[in-house]
Amino acid sequence: MALQEPRIERRMKAMLRVHLVVIFTLIVYCLYAGFQRGDTSLAARLSQLTSWRNSGALKVQRATLQAQCANVRAAAGPPASFNPSSRLRDSNDHWVPGTPPTLIRNAKIWTGAGNGTEIVSGDVLLDRGLVVGVGSISARVLQAVRKNSRRDGSKAELRVVDVGGKWVTPGLVDLHSHIGVYSAPELNGAQDGNSRKAPIQPWLRSIDGLNTHDDSYELAISGGVTTAQILPGSANNIGGQAFVIKLRETAERSATAKVIEPPYLPSNSSGYRPWRHMKHACGENINNVYSQVRMDAIWNFRQAYDQARKVRDAQDAFCVRVEAGDWESLKVNENAYEEFPENLQWESLVDVLRGRVKLSAVDFDGIVRLSNEFKFPVASFHHGGEAYLITDLLKKTYGGAPALALFASNFRKKREAYRGSEFAPAILAENGVPVVMKSDHPVLNSRYLIFEAQQAHYHGLSPELALSSVTSVSAKAAGLDHRVGSIAEGYDADVVIWDSHPLNLGATPVQVYIDGIEQLKDPFVLNKPEEFQKVPEVPDFSKERADTVKYSGLPPLTGWKDEKKQAGRVKVVGVKSLVAYEESTGAQDDTPSFALKTLFDDKHSSSGRTVIIEGGRIVCIEGTASSCTISVRVGETIDLQGGSIAPALTTYGSPLGLVEIRQEASTNDGSVPDPLTGSVPSIVRGTGDGVIRAVDGLSFGGRSTLLAYKDGVTTAITAPSGGGFQRGLATAFDTGAPHSAVDGAVLQEETALHIAINFQISTSVSTQVAALRSLLFAGGDEEDASAWGRVRAGKIPLVVAVQSADIIATLLSLKADYEEATGRTLKLTFSGATEAHLLASEIAEAGVSVILTSPRPYPGSWEQRRIVHGPPLSQESTVTTLVKAGVNVGIGVIDEASGRNTRFDVAWTALEANGTISKSEAIALASTNLHKALGYSPQKTPDLVLYRGGDLFGFESKVVGIVSAQRGVEEF
Ligand SMILES: *[C@@H]1O[C@H](CO)[C@@H](O)[C@H](O)[C@H]1NC(C)=O
Ligand SMILES: *[C@@H]1O[C@H](CO)[C@@H](O)[C@H](O)[C@H]1NC(C)=O
Ligand SMILES: *[C@@H]1O[C@H](CO)[C@@H](O)[C@H](O)[C@H]1NC(C)=O
């Protein structure tokens, strides 16, 4: 009851004062009157007085009880003044007076209307925190806006921004975010997203844990996200109430000021009742925290709802009596009625039962049953890895099918996400389920929420629904579609101007407005290819979608195809661009080396050229002098329809090949023992150096591995997993191979020696550096074949996973010391390296390679907080800063599920480089540069990939085959 106390106390005190004055006056009057009349029966008089006083108090109580009962009946939702078309709102309640009105001219406006189909060419006018005009705006409206601003005395002049035909959308609404409750950088003092006290805690509120200082706000806004639902974490079945906030900084700087519509709190009986929000979670997260199973979870819910139901029923029964005016029966004594039944612990669940909460939930069948047992609606289901398989069940949710909030491709980390599919959004939409794409920030960086919508679109969700999934549909699921998520008169002035059509890869805001306030100061604007101004024409994946449903989310994946061996001649037609390898032989030995070369890039030719491949090698190209002629008859023809041929990519950075389901130990190789922070069993050390080899733990045929293969990422380089200092020797393998015993599966058994030096390891950084120093200076001759011996002799690289610029500086000086002392060269590579840009020229000078495992950095920890933000916040990106300094740069991933998306990372990096990195240089980031940095020397010509419908630099192409020097052409 704590919340109500101040209010009640104040009211009681006020009432008491009034009563005292009244009683005193009456007593004086009565004494006077009695005295006048000579009435001696004072006692009788006083008793009459008491009853008058009581009846006054009862009257007040009756009014309160009637209001409380009216409150019980009231529905949640926006008041009439929020009806945008009625234009009753003359300003946004978050409007900051003095904000200049803004006219965005010459825009292509995706408004969100008509289920995302409406596109208006023209202008958008923002004033008083509202959209006040869309399309062609009359001089009269402009005049009124100018007059308004003079009347305010703010003297803010109308700003006119001509966007030259650029796309404008509503600000993005992230339905599932933990911004501000999980911190960036992550600090224990600001991890306020999860209470671990009990599985059921509907009384907790994310607003009470929201931190206003967090690096993520600026990043998310720079990606066009303006609104986010801040959910508690999922350590509880009911982790608490959620709050929907605008991400911008407010003058008040408080958490409360960020909340869009501060929801109804008990005892506010007046008027408008905004929607409330709450999260229910099921599954592995909670079950692990509380050692429970799914059966426990549903019982937890049922028990909680039973409590809430009792409170609600007591209220309803009570109110029947109040509404009937049955006051006599409600009296507890002469001066008081029974109290309105309330319970602050359960009141939020009572509101769920009354349909006044937008509920976010997971675990379908259980929650659908629960919603019908207790009769409450659900606004959205989240994560929903398997939702696309049970669309009919979703429709059985009490009150109708909720929206489904999903990731695009972040799957398989847990058993319950193993059947997750990139085709889920399209399949759900086909079945009439509203689709929301979400970040679960910081699980995915909310800044790139639009990338989730882009991937959903690439895999078959219509452009209208893909954009709606992060604007109007998410706004609706949050109960805020009357003011955000669309561009229309009367809506909040939250809009984004994009540098390209937002469904194109790398689409970046050039400006973002929240409540009409410009968010990006001096944004850096990228120059995008002209064809990126329209919706990308995505490939046809209908067969893949059908198979996904047919096989319950696990359609068979094939790697190498023995049965379709194509070592003979293959004619590939319709090729618009070709990047291939040039092979040369090293001067000292016969090790071949491979460099990338763009052989042609006929962007504007209509049909594309013909390329003949024989024995897995390109033997002739139409339009170039070559020893063969393309007219020769060949067995097989593959039409790439204006597609391209480019080198296959390499993935590095995740434990691909060593894990299948990260959270399932029985599916993984496990963690290696660390000689610095733990002990390595003597049986492992034996007489050797005890350095673990990743190749010994490899598993082939995993889903993430085969999906990488299918998407043209045919090489993986993986180091042993572990949380300590020494990881071991990495290995290079073919992602399509069936097992390690087949020829060509393992491409190079041992590549480089991998260690980590960082603040997370359970001994000091200085101790880690000391260990490295003593390992380097341990002596040994050129012939020492141990892992460290080869590092010392400069035969294999030492790859150090490191983030902090300060540790990087220490390692550079250690390298210099070592080389000076021994006269040898230490091959060194930094991996992770978020802060490497601060030492770009020193790193280049030292000849050290850098692999950015997050090419678009995120300040996830203290030692990686100094990021290069990238456009629109900075001109340079980490990659361009390092490349310009002359560093050999590679890019990688952290999650094994992202390996398959390497082509998107390559393309995105090139787009962010704004023309300063060529296509072949971009491909090198995930192939030749990476190989060099990691000590991988291919012994045969690496694979090429056939892309149909476009090249790998956008969303229009699809991988349709692999060209292998060993196996010929494999068509998918
Ligand atoms: C939008 O889609 C819904 C559901 O399919 C449909 O009921 C509604 O009529 C559509 N509205 C418009 C304006 O097309
Ligand atoms: C109570 O309702 C009024 C609207 O009638 C609103 O202005 C006020 O903020 C609400 N108070 C609380 C505590 O929600
Ligand atoms: C990109 O290049 C264009 C010129 O081609 C330039 O005007 C613009 O400022 C550049 N943007 C960034 C972020 O480098």
Side-chain angles (χ1 to χ4, degrees):
M1 299 306 255
L3 262 180
Q4 289 163 284
E5 271 163 18
R7 219 167 234 286
I8 286 175
E9 251 170 44
R10 257 184 281 129
R11 198 161 56 214
M12 297 288 263
K13 277 182 191 155
M15 267 162 49
L16 206 63
R17 272 197 299 276
V18 173
H19 288 181
L20 283 175
V21 172
V22 171
I23 292 164
F24 180 75
T25 316
L26 284 174
I27 289 174
V28 171
Y29 168 78
C30 293
L31 287 175
Y32 169 75
F35 174 77
Q36 283 286 303
R37 285 195 225 152
D39 190 345
T40 50
S41 168
L42 201 57
R45 288 265 156 183
L46 280 174
S47 111
Q48 202 179 349
L49 272 175
T50 311
S51 103
W52 285 345
R53 191 205 64 194
N54 286 350
S55 80
L58 290 173
K59 198 171 164 195
V60 172
Q61 284 182 40
R62 284 200 295 272
T64 305
L65 293 177
Q66 278 162 338
Q68 279 168 323
C69 288
N71 198 18
V72 153
R73 310 283 183 219
S81 63
F82 267 93
N83 179 354
S85 61
S86 75
R87 308 204 54 185
L88 290 174
R89 231 175 25 141
D90 72 337
S91 72
N92 173 345
D93 45 354
H94 290 263
W95 171 54
V96 177
T99 305
T102 303
L103 178 64
I104 300 168
R105 307 210 58 173
N106 280 322
K108 280 201 282 293
I109 309 151
W110 183 88
T111 64
N115 289 335
T117 56
E118 183 185 81
I119 292 161
V120 176
S121 290
D123 308 342
V124 183
L125 180 61
L126 313 177
D127 185 32
R128 300 180 159 244
L130 297 178
V131 173
V132 296
V134 183
S136 87
I137 290 156
S138 70
R140 188 182 49 79
V141 171
L142 281 176
Q143 198 50 41
V145 163
R146 289 204 168 93
K147 214 152 83 194
N148 262 345
S149 111
R150 279 199 295 274
R151 199 184 55 207
D152 293 340
S154 64
K155 296 200 190 71
E157 285 293 320
L158 177 73
R159 281 195 196 167
V160 180
V161 185
D162 192 321
V163 300
K166 287 204 165 70
W167 284 94
V168 168
T169 68
L172 309 187
V173 180
D174 194 347
L175 191 66
H176 188 136
S177 174
H178 304 290
I179 280 190
V181 294
Y182 292 154
S183 65
E186 185 179 327
L187 294 169
N188 288 334
Q191 292 298 91
D192 285 318
N194 264 323
S195 159
R196 285 162 198 270
K197 296 198 166 175
I200 295 285
Q201 304 191 84
W203 45 87
L204 300 186
R205 306 181 302 183
S206 68
I207 185 75
D208 297 326
L210 191 75
N211 295 293
T212 52
H213 298 292
D214 194 288
D215 292 358
S216 302
Y217 291 116
E218 181 193 24
L219 296 174
I221 291 169
S222 77
V225 182
T226 55
T227 293
Q229 170 164 241
I230 310 302
L231 297 163
S234 48
N236 323 81
N237 291 126
I238 301 184
Q241 298 159 46
F243 285 73
V244 187
I245 64 169
K246 292 272 178 97
L247 297 180
R248 73 173 175 86
E249 206 170 78
T250 66
E252 192 181 290
R253 295 187 173 150
S254 67
T256 303
K258 282 178 141 41
V259 178
I260 301 188
E261 295 189 351
Y264 161 81
L265 297 170
S267 87
N268 186 353
S269 55
S270 58
Y272 171 38
R273 176 197 302 271
W275 286 104
R276 303 178 73 181
H277 303 88
M278 188 185 285
K279 179 176 180 182
H280 286 8
C282 309
E284 298 179 23
N285 286 13
I286 307 102
N287 293 355
N288 293 340
V289 173
Y290 295 101
S291 317
Q292 63 178 35
V293 297
R294 289 168 60 211
M295 293 189 287
D296 294 307
I298 296 297
W299 171 242
N300 292 341
F301 285 119
R302 294 182 68 218
Q303 211 172 12
Y305 274 105
D306 194 42
Q307 295 282 345
R309 176 164 62 183
K310 283 176 185 152
V311 176
R312 181 204 54 193
D313 291 349
Q315 289 176 348
D316 287 350
F318 183 86
C319 287
V320 166
R321 290 154 73 201
V322 168
E323 282 151 7
D326 191 4
W327 299 110
E328 275 313 304
S329 82
L330 286 161
K331 263 191 188 162
V332 284
N333 58 38
E334 282 313 299
N335 25 0
Y337 294 119
E338 283 174 35
E339 271 189 41
F340 178 74
E342 258 188 315
N343 184 316
L344 194 57
Q345 277 193 304
W346 302 111
E347 64 78 26
S348 61
L349 280 190
V350 172
D351 260 7
V352 173
L353 295 178
R354 294 195 184 285
R356 303 195 288 211
V357 179
K358 293 288 183 184
L359 195 66
S360 304
V362 296
D363 204 337
F364 305 111
D365 196 46
I367 296 288
V368 170
R369 272 184 275 109
L370 191 73
S371 80
N372 284 296
E373 180 178 358
F374 291 93
K375 303 204 172 0
F376 60 85
V378 180
S380 50
F381 277 131
H382 292 237
H383 297 308
E386 298 180 0
Y388 64 97
L389 298 172
I390 44 141
T391 51
D392 288 336
L393 170 67
L394 297 175
K395 291 172 191 159
K396 292 185 181 161
T397 310
Y398 181 83
L404 235 300
L406 308 146
F407 291 128
S409 56
N410 180 29
F411 304 124
R412 292 179 293 283
K413 261 185 233 165
K414 322 176 205 180
R415 180 253 170 216
E416 64 194 7
Y418 193 61
R419 289 166 195 263
S421 167
E422 64 275 30
F423 301 112
I427 296 167
L428 286 163
E430 276 163 13
N431 287 282
V433 178
V435 173
V436 170
M437 303 310 295
K438 50 101 195 230
S439 74
D440 195 3
H441 180 100
V443 174
L444 302 179
N445 184 350
S446 179
R447 178 177 183 180
Y448 303 118
L449 179 62
I450 194 70
F451 181 50
E452 297 301 289
Q454 291 164 0
Q455 291 175 78
H457 174 241
Y458 177 69
H459 291 113
L461 188 64
S462 73
E464 305 82 67
L465 295 185
L467 285 177
S468 302
S469 75
V470 287
T471 53
S472 53
V473 178
S474 46
K476 184 165 187 217
L480 289 163
D481 53 330
H482 54 283
R483 63 186 296 173
V484 301
S486 298
I487 296 182
E489 278 180 36
Y491 272 68
D492 288 10
D494 299 350
V495 301
V496 184
I497 306 167
W498 298 90
D499 65 1
S500 48
H501 187 282
L503 291 177
N504 272 299
L505 187 62
T508 303
V510 306
Q511 190 51 273
V512 179
Y513 296 86
I514 304 183
D515 302 321
I517 303 167
E518 197 176 88
Q519 297 296 307
L520 304 175
K521 304 284 165 254
D522 306 320
F524 294 88
V525 179
L526 292 165
N527 196 22
K528 288 292 171 69
E530 193 44 46
E531 64 271 23
F532 275 44
Q533 294 303 331
K534 61 171 183 53
V535 182
E537 282 168 35
V538 297
D540 179 9
F541 287 106
S542 42
K543 178 172 187 312
E544 287 88 340
R545 274 201 299 282
D547 280 352
T548 301
V549 176
K550 179 172 160 198
Y551 292 99
S552 289
L554 301 177
L557 294 170
T558 44
W560 294 359
K561 285 185 180 172
D562 285 333
E563 73 277 9
K564 274 195 102 185
K565 235 177 202 171
Q566 294 285 359
R569 284 197 143 205
V570 179
K571 183 175 187 174
V572 184
V573 303
V575 187
K576 277 200 188 179
S577 78
L578 172 57
V579 180
Y581 287 100
E582 267 196 331
E583 185 170 340
S584 57
T585 308
Q588 284 120 11
D589 48 29
D590 328 322
T591 341
S593 72
F594 302 94
L596 295 181
K597 187 161 186 221
T598 302
L599 296 172
F600 63 89
D601 189 2
D602 307 334
K603 219 173 180 180
H604 301 293
S605 90
S606 52
S607 52
R609 304 192 201 188
T610 297
V611 173
I612 308 284
I613 296 171
E614 188 165 356
R617 288 167 180 274
I618 293 172
V619 292
C620 96
I621 301 167
E622 182 182 354
T624 58
S626 54
S627 57
C628 70
T629 126
I630 59 147
S631 61
V632 77
R633 276 172 51 114
V634 287
E636 176 96 357
T637 301
I638 298 174
D639 187 356
L640 294 188
Q641 298 164 9
S644 67
I645 303 177
L649 302 173
T650 296
T651 179
Y652 160 77
S654 77
L656 196 71
L658 296 179
V659 305
E660 180 61 3
I661 305 175
R662 260 207 209 197
Q663 294 186 19
E664 293 290 345
S666 67
T667 71
N668 304 334
D669 178 53
S671 196
V672 299
D674 177 27
L676 177 61
T677 54
S679 65
V680 180
S682 60
I683 193 173
V684 174
R685 279 199 313 277
T687 54
D689 57 6
V691 172
I692 308 299
R693 298 171 358 129
V695 69
D696 297 331
L698 275 188
S699 292
F700 287 78
R703 291 198 79 80
S704 295
T705 313
L706 290 175
L707 283 166
Y709 184 76
K710 184 180 129 326
D711 284 348
V713 184
T714 65
T715 301
I717 300 176
T718 299
S721 314
F725 164 79
Q726 181 171 301
R727 306 280 158 92
L729 288 160
T731 188
F733 65 97
D734 191 310
T735 53
H739 54 76
S740 67
V742 58
D743 187 31
V746 176
L747 297 165
Q748 186 175 319
E749 282 201 352
E750 297 178 0
T751 52
L753 179 59
H754 289 243
I755 64 167
I757 300 190
N758 61 48
F759 294 165
Q760 328 275 334
I761 293 171
S762 63
T763 182
S764 77
V765 166
S766 38
T767 308
Q768 297 166 49
V769 174
L772 175 57
R773 182 177 291 113
S774 80
L775 284 160
L776 286 179
F777 286 92
D781 55 28
E782 287 284 339
E783 304 311 311
D784 180 355
S786 73
W788 281 103
R790 280 178 283 159
V791 166
R792 286 191 285 263
K795 288 179 184 156
I796 60 172
L798 177 68
V799 180
V800 186
V802 58
Q803 299 287 359
S804 152
D806 295 298
I807 303 176
I808 287 173
T810 303
L811 293 174
L812 289 178
S813 84
L814 181 56
K815 177 180 194 299
D817 290 351
Y818 176 77
E819 291 177 348
E820 201 186 309
T822 62
R824 293 167 168 180
T825 301
L826 181 66
K827 282 190 186 164
L828 189 61
T829 292
F830 299 138
S831 162
T834 305
E835 295 192 344
H837 62 94
L838 293 169
L839 290 148
S841 56
E842 290 81 357
I843 292 170
E845 181 83 1
V848 173
S849 294
V850 170
I851 303 167
L852 300 166
T853 46
S854 296
R856 294 175 300 285
Y858 175 71
S861 66
W862 187 253
E863 58 190 325
Q864 53 182 169
R865 72 192 182 285
R866 294 173 289 188
I867 63 170
V868 188
H869 293 71
L873 298 175
S874 69
Q875 177 165 19
E876 300 297 332
S877 66
T878 322
V879 174
T880 59
T881 310
L882 292 166
V883 166
K884 276 182 188 161
V887 178
N888 175 51
V889 181
I891 60 173
V893 297
I894 294 168
D895 293 322
E896 53 282 3
S898 314
R900 65 179 306 195
N901 283 341
T902 302
R903 58 172 290 200
F904 298 138
D905 287 333
V906 164
W908 200 334
T909 306
L911 289 162
E912 267 198 341
N914 204 30
T916 63
I917 291 178
S918 71
K919 286 182 179 178
S920 61
E921 285 167 337
I923 294 171
L925 295 171
S927 56
T928 49
N929 292 6
L930 204 49
H931 300 167
K932 180 178 174 207
L934 291 169
Y936 167 50
S937 316
Q939 293 303 305
K940 59 173 175 65
T941 312
D943 300 341
L944 297 174
V945 176
L946 307 178
Y947 294 93
R948 179 170 292 145
D951 62 18
L952 68 88
F953 291 90
F955 284 126
E956 305 203 327
S957 67
K958 171 182 183 178
V959 173
V960 293
I962 305 290
V963 182
S964 152
Q966 184 185 343
R967 296 179 315 284
V969 177
E970 276 178 355
E971 204 183 346
F972 295 147

